[in-house]
Amino acid sequence: MSTPPPGCTAPRRHDIDALRALAFALVIVYHVGMYYVADWHWHLKSPHAADWLQGPMRALNLWRMDLVFLISGLAFGLVRRGHGLMSLVRLRSLRLLVPLAFGMAVVVPYQPYAQGVANGLIAPGFGDFLRRYYGGSTWPAGAFDGWHAGVTWNHLWYLAYLWAYTMVLAALLPLAESLPGQGLRRAFTRLRGTALVLVPVLPLALTTVLRWPHFDATHDLIHDGWVHAVYFTLFVYGYWIGLDEGLWDELVRLRWRTLGLAAVLLALHFGLRGAVWVQQAGLPVRVAVRVLADVYAWAALLTILGWVHRYLNRPWPWLQWANESVYAWYVLHQTVIIVLVVALLPWQLGPVVEPLVLLVGTAGLCWALTAAVRRVGWLRPLFGLSRNAPGAGRYHAAGEAATPVQSSQTDSTMRG
């Protein structure tokens, strides 16, 4: 059975809700890891940085944001089912741009302040920093990530990107919903077996060949040609996948095979990256290794979707709470991490206790702040929530709110 047309009611897909919630649980773990992983740039770095973290962190980097934008495209399709074009544009703009503006003005500023003080380029005193920050001050070079722009969105870059992709796809909806557009979508959702593994990789591989050598991942929205091509492609894939039962059944059927394939490809990718002859080779060899990473990433996405659909498509007791809380957690979490990092540093808790305290403290503080946000009507829209609590049975979090992000603006290893 294919995805029902706009306006039809579909049964709630608990696996999609659960995937979003679990993906965001990974956000906290990942960003705590960014504080500790050695030789990777982040806003602040721990004196207990560890080299061994690079392997697992890189394995996640190759698909984590791909998954986020894939789910975001799926959510776009779910919202489209109940809204006209202009209503869709208005709704998504409110849900994305209002939290982005509020987050940049209220939530994010402590991040550049803490980074600037740690770098010795901004004087202590948060109040004075805010006066300069809001007043359009110029900053010393390298004071914080985004210093050249004067302000920064840091981890909230995802909202700007998702809004841009939403507007582009909304403008293309007359074509996407035409007979040729529907035919292309059916061709995608009817892929099976090896074709489902290989065909969707081809546009990603072509993007790597044509754009990867020429564009670094900047997350400044304007100069991000390679990242935009990858993420928008996956955004469209999510829109196409929708709730097509045949495709989801195939994902479940292939889940063991794609898991094995992903494991083999990851080992091969790591082996080649570590080989001296590859490091000394020219651009064509490095592009080929990067294409191998694209195949691994797609295999990993297929694996995740298949396993989640097989085992998590049920009404878990925690889903309703998670669905409404996840967006606020996303907006808050990175600033919470940095606040706790600064507070914990004088205690010198060591490389074992400190990460555990940081992780538990981040979860606890996000939970407390989000609980307050959910209870205050005027605060809810500032964190991407509807003014009133969502009704049961609607695709509120999966379709009308944003999908959580798993990255920092300054994570130079993004998809690298």
Side-chain angles (χ1 to χ4, degrees):
M1 182 184 297
S2 299
T3 304
C8 291
T9 301
R12 183 114 189 163
R13 282 288 299 275
H14 304 291
D15 56 326
I16 297 172
D17 295 336
L19 179 60
R20 294 180 60 254
L22 294 176
F24 187 69
L26 184 62
V27 173
I28 294 178
V29 177
Y30 185 87
H31 276 154
V32 170
M34 283 300 298
Y35 177 56
Y36 291 101
V37 63
D39 300 327
W40 287 15
H41 176 74
W42 203 57
H43 310 287
L44 300 176
K45 298 302 295 186
S46 170
H48 309 298
D51 292 322
W52 67 266
L53 280 172
Q54 293 182 8
M57 294 284 280
R58 178 168 177 77
L60 294 177
N61 255 337
L62 293 174
W63 54 261
R64 61 190 177 87
M65 288 307 300
D66 300 41
L67 177 64
V68 168
F69 281 102
L70 185 78
I71 299 173
S72 300
L74 197 156
F76 176 91
L78 296 178
V79 178
R80 171 57 174 156
R81 294 151 63 89
H83 295 274
L85 181 58
M86 294 310 299
S87 174
L88 176 67
V89 168
R90 183 183 68 84
L91 174 67
R92 299 306 285 169
S93 295
L94 288 174
R95 288 291 172 88
L96 296 172
L97 296 184
V98 170
L100 175 61
F102 173 78
M104 290 178 65
V106 177
V107 178
V108 168
Y110 185 77
Q111 298 182 38
Y113 166 73
Q115 185 178 6
V117 171
N119 290 339
L121 297 174
I122 291 177
F126 190 45
D128 182 63
F129 171 82
L130 287 179
R131 284 191 291 272
R132 295 180 60 192
Y133 194 74
Y134 295 144
S137 177
T138 57
W139 307 98
F144 56 84
D145 299 319
W147 65 271
H148 53 284
V151 298
T152 180
W153 49 38
N154 277 357
H155 68 291
L156 299 182
W157 67 268
Y158 162 73
L159 296 181
Y161 280 45
L162 180 55
W163 179 82
Y165 300 164
T166 298
M167 296 303 104
V168 171
L169 187 52
L172 294 175
L173 279 179
L175 177 60
E177 296 175 353
S178 67
L179 288 178
Q182 289 296 316
L184 184 60
R185 181 176 189 170
R186 284 193 298 272
F188 182 88
T189 57
R190 289 175 180 173
L191 293 171
R192 298 292 184 266
T194 303
L196 181 58
V197 175
L198 294 182
V199 173
V201 174
L202 297 178
L204 302 176
L206 183 62
T207 294
T208 291
V209 172
L210 297 179
R211 287 178 172 257
W212 178 72
H214 308 292
F215 292 93
D216 293 326
T218 65
H219 302 146
D220 66 2
L221 189 62
I222 305 301
H223 308 98
D224 227 357
W226 173 57
V227 164
H228 283 316
V230 172
Y231 291 161
F232 185 71
T233 297
L234 290 158
F235 185 68
V236 172
Y237 285 177
Y239 166 72
W240 279 344
I241 288 172
L243 304 181
D244 187 275
E245 292 183 11
L247 181 57
W248 284 96
D249 288 344
E250 181 68 359
L251 292 171
V252 171
R253 187 183 73 84
L254 294 175
R255 69 188 188 280
W256 280 108
R257 302 178 198 178
T258 54
L259 176 60
L261 177 63
V264 170
L265 290 172
L266 180 62
L268 182 58
H269 175 69
F270 276 169
L272 289 174
R273 276 181 56 90
V276 175
W277 69 270
V278 171
Q279 298 173 6
Q280 297 175 346
L283 181 61
V285 172
R286 289 186 282 114
V287 168
V289 174
R290 177 61 246 185
V291 169
L292 182 65
D294 293 331
V295 184
Y296 156 72
W298 181 245
L301 295 181
L302 296 178
T303 302
I304 293 167
L305 296 178
W307 282 94
V308 166
H309 185 54
R310 174 64 179 84
Y311 288 105
L312 296 184
N313 193 17
R314 62 191 68 179
W316 300 96
W318 47 269
L319 270 184
Q320 183 176 357
W321 170 84
N323 282 336
E324 197 180 10
S325 300
V326 66
Y327 199 169
W329 280 54
Y330 157 60
V331 173
L332 291 166
H333 80 278
Q334 187 160 287
T335 296
V336 168
I337 291 173
I338 291 178
V339 167
L340 291 177
V341 161
V342 174
L344 291 174
L345 191 59
W347 291 80
Q348 299 181 348
L349 297 178
V352 176
V353 174
E354 184 188 84
L356 294 176
V357 173
L358 181 58
L359 185 61
V360 173
T362 299
L365 193 51
C366 283
W367 177 86
L369 292 171
T370 299
V373 167
R374 293 178 63 190
R375 287 165 173 76
V376 181
W378 63 269
L379 272 178
R380 291 173 60 91
L382 300 178
F383 288 87
L385 307 178
S386 61
R387 188 167 292 275
N388 300 309
R394 295 180 61 222
Y395 273 110
H396 173 80
E400 295 182 18
T403 306
V405 68
Q406 305 181 47
S407 175
S408 163
Q409 179 190 11
T410 58
D411 179 1
S412 61
T413 62
M414 171 69 65
R415 284 193 56 84

